[in-house]
Amino acid sequence: SQELEQSPQSLIVQEGKNLTINCTSSKTLYGLYWYKQKYGEGLIFLMMLQKGGEEKSHEKITAKLDEKKQQSSLHITASQPSHAGIYLCGADLYGNKLVFGAGTILRVKS
Amino acid sequence: NAGVTQTPKFQVLKTGQSMTLQCAQDMNHNSMYWYRQDPGMGLRLIYYSASEGTTDKGEVPNGYNVSRLNKREFSLRLESAAPSQTSVYFCASYHGLIRGGELFFGEGSRLTVL
């Protein structure tokens, strides 16, 4: 979606390194979702952020929502091969229209 | 609970053939969605139904039609399939009236148009 920009498009990191993926909206965010997808498989819900300043964590993955900047960041600490996949941000922008960014492909080198 | 169920999981069509992808949810959700995902890319919204009795175009609606048959079911129809419609299709549902709930996805339907 052009309404949601994800960066970077792809990322290769050495195992054990930290990384950040960003998701920026051109419109007001009513809710921001993060999903993960392993190649050729279905979507795994990571977390959903709704309020400005909200921060949630799941295992070694932390996401924050900056409502003023209309932006969310997903941070992975001490990356592992199991973190590899496609990370997708999605947003409830208006009227229950839920759109997604183009995704970030993450590869973790052992 | 089954959650969101899509059928079929795999389908091969010839150019010009028609088919319908079926989606059903058992969570009493108000809003339902159809997305397509091309290799290595994100999800693009085809059509959505914010509530029973309404449907709206998403980002890539051309070549598709939808029917919200009842609150549970939301089908996607390809009237005359084209190779450009080769993709993985995902159906999803969302409570809709309560903002902030999880968006639940089906397992996907892999469509190949020859």
Side-chain angles (χ1 to χ4, degrees), chain A residues 1 6 9 37 39 43 86-88 100-105, chain B residues 36-44 87-88 90:
Chain A
S1 166
Q6 263 186 259
Q9 286 185 316
Q37 185 181 34
Y39 298 110
L43 292 123
I86 301 174
Y87 287 81
L88 296 160
F100 282 80
T104 296
I105 300 172
Chain B
R36 62 175 287 174
Q37 185 179 35
D38 298 316
M41 296 186 67
L43 299 170
R44 290 187 291 171
S87 191
V88 180
F90 287 97

Side-chain angles (χ1 to χ4, degrees), chain B residues 32-94:
Chain B
M32 297 184 73
Y33 305 81
W34 276 106
Y35 296 91
R36 62 175 287 174
Q37 185 179 35
D38 298 316
M41 296 186 67
L43 299 170
R44 290 187 291 171
L45 181 63
I46 305 171
Y47 270 94
Y48 67 107
S49 171
S51 60
E52 187 180 358
T54 68
T55 59
D56 286 285
K57 294 179 181 179
E59 302 161 285
V60 288
N62 291 344
Y64 305 94
N65 285 304
V66 289
S67 294
R68 183 75 183 267
L69 303 168
N70 48 54
K71 194 170 186 180
R72 286 188 66 245
E73 299 171 287
F74 189 38
S75 62
L76 179 72
R77 183 160 178 83
L78 287 69
E79 290 290 351
S80 179
S84 60
Q85 293 177 305
T86 293
S87 191
V88 180
Y89 291 83
F90 287 97
C91 176
S93 75
Y94 173 57

Side-chain angles (χ1 to χ4, degrees), chain B residues 2-7 22-27 32 34 72-74 91:
Chain B
V4 179
T5 305
Q6 289 181 234
T7 56
Q22 306 284 356
C23 176
Q25 51 91 10
D26 61 2
M27 296 170 282
M32 297 184 73
W34 276 106
R72 286 188 66 245
E73 299 171 287
F74 189 38
C91 176

Side-chain angles (χ1 to χ4, degrees), chain A residues 47 80 82 103:
Chain A
M47 55 198 88
Q80 300 169 355
S82 61

Side-chain angles (χ1 to χ4, degrees), chain A residues 28-30 50-53 65-71:
Chain A
T28 302
L29 291 169
Y30 291 98
Q50 198 173 5
K51 299 174 186 175
L65 179 63
D66 185 330
E67 202 171 50
K68 287 183 182 177
K69 291 184 181 177
Q70 297 177 167
Q71 183 178 63

